[in-house]
């Protein structure tokens, strides 16, 4: 095979990246509204890219007039707020009508710079992909896109009572997949879904595992058992309790109802557990759950378990780490997860995970080592997994130690370095094609 001509400077890393997140701001609190794992992903990736001398400017839609047009998130990371539609009361489903206004705002910011200010566009979620597609063409730079979730995949595994993703999103995603120079997939499974459902070019798909902030999410220096005792004391939780934790957005996709139903099954089987069972649900309504924000509380009442369930609002990462350390096990019965950052955060904190065997969770969780994977969403199956922790009080600590070791391989520095390689490859390929077509 003839070797490719290597042009001077073709392997240069980008100096500055325009990162687009239309529908959710990196400044929003994860766990409520549309803010979740993608917010954490963007914030952490941007910070680590800046640490290796790749500046990042994140464009996001303004949701209040009180925001400054530009806010420094961290050294080398700037958040730019773009006016597009009313500040409040605009659902994610209504945002496609504001993409023209958002695109205008992005181009206004670009027009104030010298040519070549941005070396590359990295978009997150399909709405951002459409804006990035136009920016990429206008600026003559590569488009790197991350789906985060896919309409076809979500619709194939829809939770009861959830709303299917509209055809317009499917069409939009297909267009972005075709337009992108590179597609970043969280796992090899997601890469396969891109190729199967959207006919993505395999040469354009790169697998980069998301990371976890190992400075925040880590076991207590005094050990897992001591850390659990200290975290429970700080959060006002009983020391000898079995604590299965749900953390995340309260919506059908995340299936917190499966945990509550599993707890009801567990108590039916062994009523004596009621005196030492506490089930925290940490998070706020989101997605289709916004239409029925009290549905989960009502379900707990119907199941007769309100005395053991504790609903808590979303919390900052440092306090979330305390909830993870305090828990016996994190329960994640989602219908779909592109990766499952919450599962990795919990494991990094020294807590095992019981999760649905869907999406990226089989990568995030080592079945039988750092937790248990459950096929399907039958509450009885989750109750069976929880019973193992009830019957063997030492299991949580043993698996927690293995979980922390497993999660240690998911650092954001590794993810940022791999992402930078994707950027460099996309830029090199763009220049190579430009030289061929002269």
């Amino acid at each position: 095979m003839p070797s490719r001509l290597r042009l001077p400077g073709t392997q240069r890393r980008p100096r500055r990246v325009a990162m687009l997140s239309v529908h959710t701001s990196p400044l929003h609190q994860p766990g409520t509204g549309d803010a979740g794992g993608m917010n954490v992903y963007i914030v952490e990736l941007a910070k680590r890219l800046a640490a290796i001398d790749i500046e990042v400017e994140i464009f996001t839609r303004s949701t209040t007039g009180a925001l400054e047009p530009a806010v420094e998130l961290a050294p080398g990371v700037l958040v730019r707020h773009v006016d597009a539609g009313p500040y409040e009361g605009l659902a994610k489903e209504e945002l496609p009508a504001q993409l023209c206004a958002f695109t205008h705002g992005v181009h206004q910011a670009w027009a104030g710079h010298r040519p070549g200010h941005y070396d590359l566009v990295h978009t997150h979620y399909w709405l951002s992909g459409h804006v990035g597609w136009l920016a990429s063409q206008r600026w003559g730079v590569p488009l790197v896109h991350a789906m985060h979730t896919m309409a076809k995949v979500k619709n194939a595994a829809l939770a009861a009572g959830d709303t299917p993703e509209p055809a317009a999103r499917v069409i939009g995603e297909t267009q972005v997949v075709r337009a992108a120079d590179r597609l970043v997939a969280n796992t090899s499974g997601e890469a396969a879904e891109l190729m199967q459902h959207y006919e993505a070019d395999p040469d354009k798909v790169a697998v980069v595992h998301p990371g976890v902030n190992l400075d925040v999410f880590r076991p207590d220096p005094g050990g897992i058992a001591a850390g659990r005792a200290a975290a429970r004391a700080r959060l006002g939780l009983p020391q000898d309790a079995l604590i299965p934790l749900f953390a995340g957005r309260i919506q059908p996709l995340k299936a917190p109802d499966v945990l509550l139903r599993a707890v009801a099954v567990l108590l039916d089987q062994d009523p004596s557990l009621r005196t030492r069972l506490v089930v925290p649900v940490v998070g706020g309504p989101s997605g289709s759950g916004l239409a029925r924000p009290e549905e989960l509380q009502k379900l707990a009442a119907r199941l007769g378990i309100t005395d053991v369930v504790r609903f808590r609002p979303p919390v900052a990462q440092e306090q979330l780490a305390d909830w993870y350390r305090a828990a016996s096990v994190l329960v994640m019965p989602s219908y779909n997860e592109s990766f499952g950052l919450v599962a990795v955060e919990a494991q990094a904190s020294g807590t095992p995970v019981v999760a649905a065997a869907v999406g990226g969770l089989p990568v995030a969780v080592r079945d039988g080592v750092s937790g248990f994977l459950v096929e399907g969403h039958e509450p009885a199956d989750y109750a069976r997994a929880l019973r193992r922790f009830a019957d063997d009080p030492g299991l949580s600590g043993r698996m927690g130690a293995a979980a922390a070791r497993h999660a240690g391989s998911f650092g954001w520095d590794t993810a940022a370095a791999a992402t930078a390689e994707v950027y460099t490859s996309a830029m090199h390929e763009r220049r190579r094609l430009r030289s061929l077509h002269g």
Side-chain angles (χ1 to χ4, degrees), residues 281-319:
V281 176
V282 180
S286 172
S288 26
L290 284 169
R292 300 178 296 278
E294 298 173 357
E295 195 67 26
L296 209 59
Q297 290 93 323
K298 291 177 181 176
L299 175 63
R302 290 198 300 272
L303 294 171
I305 59 171
T306 51
D307 56 320
V308 300
V309 180
R310 298 188 184 180
F311 292 97
R312 295 291 184 268
V315 294
Q317 289 205 316
E318 288 75 11
Q319 193 174 359

Side-chain angles (χ1 to χ4, degrees), residues 28-107:
H28 288 170
Q29 169 67 57
T32 190
D34 289 317
M38 192 178 95
N39 296 63
V40 176
Y41 182 109
I42 292 169
V43 168
E44 295 294 343
L45 178 62
K47 287 179 178 178
R48 304 310 166 102
L49 286 171
I52 55 175
D53 298 322
I54 299 175
E55 291 182 29
V56 180
E57 293 188 12
I58 306 170
F59 291 82
T60 191
R61 196 179 78 85
S62 294
T63 53
T64 170
L67 292 168
E68 293 294 323
V71 176
E72 187 182 61
L73 180 65
V77 182
L78 193 68
V79 176
R80 291 188 177 276
H81 294 109
V82 179
D83 286 334
Y87 292 134
E88 297 177 3
L90 202 62
K92 184 169 66 174
E93 293 73 23
E94 298 172 292
L95 286 178
Q98 301 301 326
L99 292 186
C100 183
F102 191 91
T103 302
H104 174 70
V106 171
H107 284 294

Side-chain angles (χ1 to χ4, degrees), residues 257-267 269 303 331 378-384 386:
D257 62 296
V258 172
L259 170 59
L260 298 195
R261 295 178 196 279
V263 167
V265 170
L266 199 61
L267 291 176
Q269 293 171 345
L303 294 171
V331 184
E378 282 297 322
D381 295 332
Y382 288 84
R384 196 172 299 113
L386 293 178

Side-chain angles (χ1 to χ4, degrees), residues 347-418:
Q347 290 171 96
S349 306
T351 299
V353 176
V354 170
V358 299
L361 286 170
V363 175
V365 180
R366 284 192 66 192
D367 190 25
V369 177
S370 67
F372 298 111
L373 294 172
V374 179
E375 296 288 343
H377 299 85
E378 282 297 322
D381 295 332
Y382 288 84
R384 196 172 299 113
L386 293 178
R387 186 66 194 239
R388 299 176 74 158
F389 292 95
D391 292 344
D392 182 358
L395 179 62
S396 182
R398 295 194 303 274
M399 279 196 140
R405 289 192 294 272
H406 171 61
S409 63
F410 293 105
W412 275 113
D413 289 337
T414 304

Side-chain angles (χ1 to χ4, degrees), residues 145-158:
H145 181 68
M147 299 287 273
H148 291 282
T149 61
M150 291 177 260
K152 288 185 177 181
V153 175
K154 287 180 74 172
N155 287 346
L158 209 61

Side-chain angles (χ1 to χ4, degrees), residues 9 23 41 45 126 144 151 195 228 233 256 278 322 327 335 368 391 429:
H23 80 283
Y41 182 109
L45 178 62
W126 76 278
V144 174
M195 290 178 263
R228 178 169 294 137
V278 176
D322 243 13
Y335 282 86
D391 292 344
E429 184 69 8

